Amino acid sequence: MDKLVIRGGNRLAGKVTASGSKNSSLPVIAATLLSGQGCFTLHRIPDLQDIRTFTQLLNHLGAETSFSGNTLTVSTGNVESLLAPYELVKKMRASIYVLGPLLARFGEAKVSLPGGCAFGPRPIDLHLMAMEKLGAEISIETGFITAKAPGGRLNGACIEFPTSSVGATGNALMAAVLARGTTTILNAAAEPEIETLCFFLSAMGARIAGTGTTELLIEGIDSLSSVEFTNVFDRIEAGTLLAAAAITGGSITVDGVEPEQLRSVLKKFIHAGCTVTRTEDSVTLASPETLVATDITAKPYPSFPTDMQAQWTALMTQAEGTSRITDKVYHERFNHIPELNRLGAHIDIIKNQAVVHGPRKLSGTKVMSTDLRASACLVLAGLVAEGVTDVLRVYHLDRGYEKIETKLASLGAEIAREKYREFD
Ligand code: UD1
């Protein structure tokens, strides 16, 4: 297995370019299943384990894919299997994204039920509710969801989500674009990843109004075309890199971004005392002498993202004062706290809130990644800890951060990837 070995203490400086967004690539790749015509060319797709797993799933269904230099080509004309097997779904919950497009194009789909995940239960009831509203008949047996559209085609409907869900909104959208008639999605997720999916579907010929808002209106059509498309930047990666600069007392520029999508995060950096400068496509962050404790509450976009919560917690271990971290999306997403405390942080969990007492001097040791963003948080802590921090099980990190150690090293961090045996 791989680990990251970090010698903390270097202030980061320089410029780095954001990669393409993982969380928008996944629904965009799934949406290629909606059209059997021609070949899609998708640019700025990050080379990540999750993307590889997802293309494997498409290959399993019969699609042809080729991935090189962040450009993915996909032809879905030969898709003939409508079954997403457990072996692939268990590796990545986002595999559920094939449900909507398969059902919309073929009138049928069978997808293995995803399991739980490291930070609590992650139901898919809203995905199923949306498919049922569109007329699908759903049954769950032997660990599989089987969905069928009577007569082979879904019908437009009004779908109102009781809770904002990125994945369920994406699935509903992909199902609705080929449904007969009009669909309204209320309380839709307005995350940039869904906005990007709307742009992609619209480029394919879909008729969608309300892109970027919580109310989407979709006029179903009979068929969609293949297109060439450039993906959006990864706002979570960009935010993580800025946090890496802030935790080391450094100053960096991240370019290739749309700063507006980072607004809630940048606001918190400013509150914490950082100087933030924006251009049309870059953000520069300069750290203060002393960081100021700053509370956050993770909520759906445009609020502070849950996927930046763990990294913010790491940052607050170096801030003067007490900060409170609340996550309203995943109430129990605190697996990283015991590991941060092992590095010397003082964080209590009180009633679904992490209370961070800072600043604390961290000192390097071995720490274990438990999920994607928890790993990023531990890397940040390692960058400021005295001595050497070994972040084990970095396969979690590799699911979502493209060349993270190369990027951090280019900014001056002392970080290297090494092999290790789990029980050494
Ligand atoms: C996506 C992101 C993930 C991010 C999350 C929230 C991808 C691949 N993953 O996950 O990184 O942390 O958005 O921004 O894009 N819920 C239900 N029933 C459902 C679906 C969701 O109750 O059927 C709940 C979830 O438990 C959670 C909330 O809704 O509390 C939001 O989850 P959701 O937005 O669906 O997350 P994902 O799309 O799985």
Side-chain angles (χ1 to χ4, degrees):
M1 255 186 249
D2 287 2
K3 64 178 177 180
L4 288 179
V5 181
I6 305 164
R7 182 172 290 280
N10 292 4
R11 284 173 192 250
L12 300 195
K15 194 172 182 175
V16 68
T17 301
S19 292
S21 161
K22 166 180 87 76
N23 286 353
S24 60
S25 297
L26 296 170
V28 161
I29 298 170
T32 64
L33 291 166
L34 286 163
S35 165
Q37 303 165 20
C39 177
F40 289 86
T41 305
L42 310 176
H43 301 291
R44 210 179 182 188
I45 303 297
D47 190 352
L48 298 170
Q49 193 48 51
D50 271 10
I51 301 294
R52 301 261 170 196
T53 305
F54 207 71
T55 52
Q56 245 182 306
L57 175 55
L58 258 74
N59 295 146
H60 173 88
L61 299 174
E64 285 141 36
T65 59
S66 135
F67 193 21
S68 128
N70 295 119
T71 294
L72 177 69
T73 57
V74 188
S75 302
T76 57
N78 292 333
V79 166
E80 48 187 32
S81 166
L82 306 179
L83 187 147
Y86 176 65
E87 289 66 30
L88 290 169
V89 177
K90 75 167 184 206
K91 284 194 193 165
M92 195 182 56
R93 299 180 49 82
S95 307
I96 189 77
Y97 269 136
V98 300
L99 179 65
L102 287 179
L103 191 53
R105 179 169 151 205
F106 299 99
E108 209 176 317
K110 192 168 175 180
V111 179
S112 171
L113 279 170
C117 84
F119 46 91
R122 292 183 68 180
I124 50 154
D125 55 316
L126 300 178
H127 298 245
L128 303 186
M129 177 276 273
M131 299 305 124
E132 279 179 333
K133 285 269 179 195
L134 293 168
E137 288 166 358
I138 309 260
S139 60
I140 296 181
E141 268 176 292
T142 61
F144 281 88
I145 306 154
T146 303
K148 283 193 177 136
R153 190 164 180 194
L154 296 169
N155 288 309
C158 178
I159 302 167
E160 181 165 8
F161 288 116
T163 309
S164 177
S165 162
V166 175
T169 301
N171 245 333
L173 251 172
M174 292 189 277
V177 288
L178 287 183
R180 203 181 288 120
T182 305
T183 298
T184 315
I185 306 180
L186 303 176
N187 196 22
E191 266 69 3
E193 294 73 27
I194 294 298
E195 182 183 47
T196 303
L197 175 63
C198 287
F199 289 144
F200 180 64
L201 292 168
S202 300
M204 288 171 71
R207 300 208 186 113
I208 303 171
T211 293
T213 74
T214 54
E215 243 180 82
L216 299 169
L217 184 73
I218 301 122
E219 201 63 60
I221 55 171
D222 292 340
S223 68
L224 294 161
S225 324
S226 58
V227 289
E228 184 165 355
F229 187 76
T230 301
N231 185 28
V232 71
F233 81 105
D234 195 312
R235 63 194 172 103
I236 305 303
E237 185 215 24
T240 304
L241 291 166
L242 293 172
I247 203 168
T248 61
S251 169
I252 68 161
T253 298
V254 183
D255 66 9
V257 304
E258 292 174 36
E260 196 47 34
Q261 291 187 15
L262 291 163
R263 178 187 276 271
S264 62
V265 176
L266 298 182
K267 218 168 112 186
K268 291 296 177 180
F269 278 121
I270 292 167
H271 191 280
C274 301
T275 306
V276 172
T277 325
R278 298 161 49 148
T279 68
E280 207 171 276
D281 65 354
S282 75
V283 173
T284 299
L285 179 145
S287 304
E289 270 307 308
T290 312
L291 286 163
V292 181
T294 303
D295 298 346
I296 56 141
T297 300
K299 287 196 276 192
Y301 190 82
S303 292
F304 195 93
T306 172
D307 286 349
M308 272 297 294
Q309 182 259 102
Q311 299 89 312
W312 193 263
T313 307
L315 181 64
M316 286 301 101
T317 65
Q318 301 307 301
E320 185 81 47
T322 301
S323 39
R324 290 184 165 70
I325 314 285
T326 314
D327 196 324
K328 298 271 187 198
V329 182
Y330 297 110
H331 301 268
E332 296 158 27
R333 194 176 193 174
F334 290 128
N335 280 333
H336 46 286
I337 307 278
E339 293 301 275
L340 282 177
N341 283 341
R342 288 185 60 246
L343 288 166
H346 178 188
I347 308 172
D348 300 312
I349 299 177
I350 304 168
K351 288 191 185 159
N352 283 346
Q353 198 172 57
V355 182
V356 189
H357 307 278
R360 294 279 293 191
K361 198 164 131 192
L362 305 184
S363 46
T365 186
K366 285 183 183 169
V367 283
M368 186 86 86
S369 302
T370 48
D371 65 68
L372 170 53
R373 307 304 169 185
S375 330
C377 144
L378 297 175
V379 169
L380 296 187
L383 291 174
V384 74
E386 203 172 82
V388 174
T389 301
D390 280 10
V391 181
L392 309 181
R393 297 196 183 174
V394 288
Y395 58 84
H396 289 294
L397 195 73
D398 293 339
R399 289 186 46 209
Y401 289 91
E402 192 178 46
K403 301 189 191 112
I404 187 76
E405 71 269 27
T406 313
K407 286 191 179 185
L408 290 172
S410 78
L411 296 170
E414 205 175 318
I415 179 167
R417 181 178 289 260
E418 288 179 12
K419 297 271 174 217
Y420 76 105
R421 291 221 319 260
E422 181 83 4
F423 299 107
D424 273 358

